[in-house]
């Protein structure tokens, strides 16, 4: 082989080596950017989940407070109902006693 042929082959080999180096370098760069995107996406996902968890914790606390208030209101209403039932029983007994007393006095209870 003469010098011109060796120079041409050398140029081709150097060109192929440079292209191969560029291709390998680009793959590494792509791999690094994909890793960064995955880690960035993971970080965003974790942040979103933490925000959602915090919002649900606040909502749960509010629901528990409202439930306690509802139970308190129910207990109050039950106590009031019990008082009204006692009053109804007392008035019914009083009516029965007055009817008997009226009958004993010769009246006609209506």
């Amino acid at each position: 082989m003469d010098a011109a042929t060796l120079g041409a082959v050398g140029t081709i080999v150097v060109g192929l080596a440079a292209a191969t180096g560029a291709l390998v370098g680009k793959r590494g760069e792509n791999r690094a950017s994909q890793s960064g995107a995955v880690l960035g996406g993971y970080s965003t996902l974790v942040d979103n989940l933490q925000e959602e968890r915090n919002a649900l914790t606040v909502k749960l606390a509010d629901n528990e407070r409202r439930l306690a208030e509802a139970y308190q209101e129910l207990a109050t209403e039950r106590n009031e109902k019990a008082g009204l039932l006692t009053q109804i029983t007392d008035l019914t007994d009083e009516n029965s006693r007055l009817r008997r007393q009226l009958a004993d006095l010769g009246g006609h209870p209506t």
Side-chain angles (χ1 to χ4, degrees):
M1 286 193 185
D2 61 0
T5 306
L6 285 177
V9 169
T11 302
I12 291 172
V13 169
V14 168
L16 288 174
T20 302
L23 181 63
V24 169
K26 187 65 175 173
R27 283 187 180 171
E29 180 184 328
N30 287 343
R31 205 173 289 139
S33 75
Q34 287 175 349
S35 293
V38 167
L39 290 176
Y42 176 77
S43 177
T44 301
L45 178 62
V46 168
D47 290 343
N48 290 344
L49 288 173
Q50 287 174 341
E51 288 175 15
E52 186 175 348
R53 181 194 64 203
N54 292 342
L56 291 175
T57 300
V58 168
K59 187 173 182 178
L60 177 63
D62 183 52
N63 283 351
E64 287 177 347
R65 180 191 53 78
R66 290 173 49 205
L67 182 61
E69 288 173 359
Y71 274 123
Q72 182 61 43
E73 184 178 342
L74 179 62
T76 300
E77 289 179 2
R78 284 181 177 167
N79 287 337
E80 289 174 1
K81 180 181 175 184
L84 290 173
L85 288 173
T86 300
Q87 188 177 1
I88 288 171
T89 302
D90 292 345
L91 290 173
T92 302
D93 291 345
E94 172 93 8
N95 282 351
S96 296
R97 185 184 64 77
L98 291 173
R99 287 180 194 272
R100 280 192 309 273
Q101 190 176 10
L102 186 60
D104 289 344
L105 295 173
H108 297 288
T110 55

